[in-house]
Amino acid sequence: MDRSEALAFVQPHLTKSRFEHTIRVTDTAIELAKIFDASIEKAELAAVFHDYAKYRDKEEMRRWIEQEYLPKDLLMYHHELWHGPVGALLVKREIGLGDPDILNAIRWHTTGTAHMTILDKVIYLADYIEPGRSFPGVEEVRELASEDLDAACFEAAKNTISFLMSKNQPIYPDTFHAYNHFINVLVKKNWRQQNGKVGK
Ligand code: DGI
Ligand code: FE
Ligand code: FE
């Protein structure tokens, strides 16, 4: 499936501004995929479909989570978190896109998780830093994003958690798992650099 075909599938499900966001996420994801050597074709499709389920009826999404093999604990958290996992399911069912790499990147794009693939990180980050985003801290993440994917994801996870805590919002476990994973990765990288083991 090429980009224009994919966009034609997605457009009827999105508002105009969400569709424009999707295009910016797609362009950003392709740039990141080039820098970090992810599949450009997969990054493009995952980005086009990442918010596919964003405007599904809340009760419909609840039913998918109840009926299908999706984490039930999602139901105890804000429905904003549902469109990633439900999106992955519906992109497979309705569009017929079965590539697990693409579906996982869609699944994790809002919360992140531990042990994300490069493609997962590319989509997580592209959604966070696309040029239409203007929240505090985004510029630092943009700068990191061209150099160190893990450091950029760490900052994004940290900012998201700080933001949610400042609003007294519950935080989904995978959001914490992402944060904890990236802090460990960065500590290890720093140790290696300080001990002259770069690249080993
Ligand atoms: O769909 P988008 O708006 O493009 O972006 P997104 O899928 O990253 O969703 C962003 C929203 O999700 C943002 O308001 C923060 C929220 N979010 C991310 N992680 C968590 C979370 N909300 C809660 N309550 N808990 C989380 O762990
Ligand atoms: Fe989203
Ligand atoms: Fe998005």
Side-chain angles (χ1 to χ4, degrees):
M1 187 184 314
D2 68 10
R3 181 183 179 131
S4 56
E5 200 185 340
L7 284 170
F9 274 123
V10 155
Q11 191 165 21
H13 296 275
L14 303 180
T15 60
K16 184 169 177 286
S17 67
R18 179 66 43 184
F19 185 66
E20 287 163 0
H21 158 75
T22 293
I23 292 172
R24 292 191 299 268
V25 173
T26 307
D27 291 337
T28 307
I30 290 172
E31 276 174 42
L32 292 173
K34 283 181 185 160
I35 299 174
F36 297 107
D37 212 16
S39 156
I40 292 169
E41 292 75 20
K42 290 187 189 201
E44 183 171 53
L45 285 182
V48 168
F49 286 109
H50 85 283
D51 275 339
Y52 179 72
K54 182 88 178 174
Y55 299 106
R56 287 297 164 114
D57 179 68
K58 192 174 142 196
E59 294 312 312
E60 184 199 341
M61 288 202 282
R62 186 189 301 283
R63 281 196 300 278
W64 286 123
I65 294 167
E66 283 167 351
Q67 287 165 17
E68 295 292 324
Y69 188 64
L70 289 174
K72 306 302 169 221
D73 65 348
L74 283 167
L75 298 171
M76 298 189 300
Y77 290 84
H78 199 276
H79 59 86
E80 181 67 33
L81 298 181
W82 301 353
H83 73 280
V86 172
L89 176 84
L90 295 182
V91 164
K92 186 171 185 185
R93 288 177 74 109
E94 297 177 0
I95 311 293
L97 220 163
D99 185 314
D101 299 339
I102 295 176
L103 297 178
N104 278 328
I106 297 170
R107 174 169 297 121
W108 298 120
H109 86 266
T110 303
T111 60
T113 189
H115 307 291
M116 289 197 280
T117 63
I118 295 178
L119 183 68
D120 297 338
K121 294 180 209 175
V122 160
I123 299 302
Y124 176 74
L125 214 50
D127 190 29
Y128 193 86
I129 64 168
E130 62 92 344
R133 302 291 205 194
S134 62
F135 37 74
V138 72
E139 206 43 60
E140 287 87 332
V141 182
R142 278 194 188 111
E143 279 164 27
L144 281 171
S146 52
E147 297 154 20
D148 186 332
L149 197 55
D150 292 315
C153 287
F154 171 69
E155 282 302 315
K158 189 174 82 176
N159 288 349
T160 300
I161 290 173
S162 303
F163 169 77
L164 292 167
M165 287 183 78
S166 76
K167 303 271 173 207
N168 291 333
Q169 289 283 324
I171 297 170
Y172 190 64
D174 278 302
T175 306
F176 282 126
H177 294 329
Y179 172 90
N180 288 330
H181 173 82
F182 287 118
I183 192 72
N184 280 327
V185 169
L186 294 189
V187 166
K188 274 189 199 144
K189 268 192 196 169
N190 283 340
W191 184 88
R192 282 168 168 272
Q193 268 167 8
Q194 279 161 14
N195 290 277
K197 295 186 189 298
V198 177
K200 287 185 194 155

